Amino acid sequence: MLQIVILAAGKGTRMKSALPKVLHPLAGKSLLGHVLATAATLSPTKTVIVYGHGGEAVPAAFAQQSAAFVLQEPQLGTGHAVQQAIPALADDGTTLVLYGDVPLISTDTLRRVLTKPDTLSVLTVTLDDPTGYGRIVRDAAGRVQRIVEQKDADDATRAIREVNTGIIAAPTARLAAWLGRLSNHNAQREYYLTDVIAMAVADGLTIHTTQPDAFWEVEGINSRDQLARLERIHQGEQAKRLMAGGVTLADPARIDVRGELSCGTDVTIDVGCVFEGVVQIGEDVEIGPYCVIKNSVIESGARIAAYSHLEGAHVGPVAKIGPYARLRPGARLARDVHIGNFVEVKATTIGEGSKANHLAYLGDSEIGRNVNVGAGTITCNYDGANKSKTIIEDDAFIGSDTQLVAPVRVGRGATLGAGTTLTRDAPEGQLTVSRAKQVSIAGWKRPTKKTPA
Ligand code: UD1
Ligand code: CA
């Protein structure tokens, strides 16, 4: 049985922000959100988040989640912080301690920490420059004896390069007992979580240590500079994963995935694209440069040209979108639909083979198959109070600069003449046109500028 405590009470002064540090986003999700998501992969029976005074936005941001929140006030150190969570835990099984500002810890590494449930486990790293970290002190046989904080360490101890990442796991009941015996007789007058290591050794336990695959997994964030650096590392890792899955990236350093992007094989993504939320892309799709794609599905063989913006859209197979297209929530495009430059589509289904290639607004509409929507066509879906629907049946031809004043229906195979303002249904198969009669006035003269008197 596993329980997880996440420490998130630190003030985050160096962020210089009104937002609590752990709520700052990395790849579109809060730092604490990342830790919670990773924690959830371990299926804990309980997760307790220790937050600090002034950080009320933290529990508010996660009100939907099953995690419990405990306030630590005042903040008297990491040991004191974990102690605040103890009353919220069942006293059996293992407790794992994580940090709300260490967002990229991986499930694989944590599983390694949890392989020895009967003892205390510490995740350590070995650094060229260990300055600032708690040092892992081992005996001649290599067994961990204790952790000594930088500020309490003598020169010999400071020379140790193996350091504490802060992540530990221990049997819950024993951890609770050790925490109850902590004192703050140290350089920082804090209750150190790290002091439980020597207590475990005194109780005859052999401390288990393991190391993460990469240092960035255990890097904490204290400043916006560190946040930006970890963001780049995380994006680089996602780019690697995409390429390993058969995606061509024009430049792996110029893609941002803020959510979950899944791609079939032979997808090509040009530079500067941003993916948000859950985006699913089929096989052999090409995404041009500088597209923003959020919560959308793009089926196989589709082409999304430069500077297109998609949100909540479904793009059918071999469709051609953009450049400069905007697909808004509820845009559902079937196979081989073409949406060209400066065309906006919202809450509209478009049938197979239909085209709107230039400068149009299609909202709250149902458009059939093989419909041609001319340049400048606008569905007038909003009367200032209510939205109404436009229906365009199969094989209709909508002439350029047409306004469809909804609710209105264009029958199958109907043609609308250019410039039509359609206020009543257009019957199928006929030409409907509303247009002032064209006149030419013979002998008309252009006005000339009056000469001042
Ligand atoms: C801690 C470890 C140190 C380790 C380092 C890794 C202790 C005593 N030291 O040191 O061995 O090398 O992390 O980064 O544990 N926090 C609270 N409440 C508190 C104090 C801290 O929630 O009262 C949280 C902070 O928000 C932060 C984390 O605990 O997320 C670590 O606190 P911090 O003060 O940064 O610990 P360090 O001094 O860096
Ligand atoms: Ca017009």
Side-chain angles (χ1 to χ4, degrees), residues 376 378 401-403 419:
I378 291 171
D401 196 24
T402 292
Q403 298 92 51

Side-chain angles (χ1 to χ4, degrees), residues 316-351:
V318 302
K320 287 196 169 65
I321 310 300
Y324 299 101
R326 179 155 186 224
L327 303 184
R328 290 173 52 203
R332 300 191 63 81
L333 317 184
R335 167 181 286 273
D336 197 26
V337 165
H338 295 191
I339 298 295
N341 42 248
F342 307 107
V343 175
E344 176 177 341
V345 180
K346 186 217 71 170
T348 288
T349 60
I350 304 184

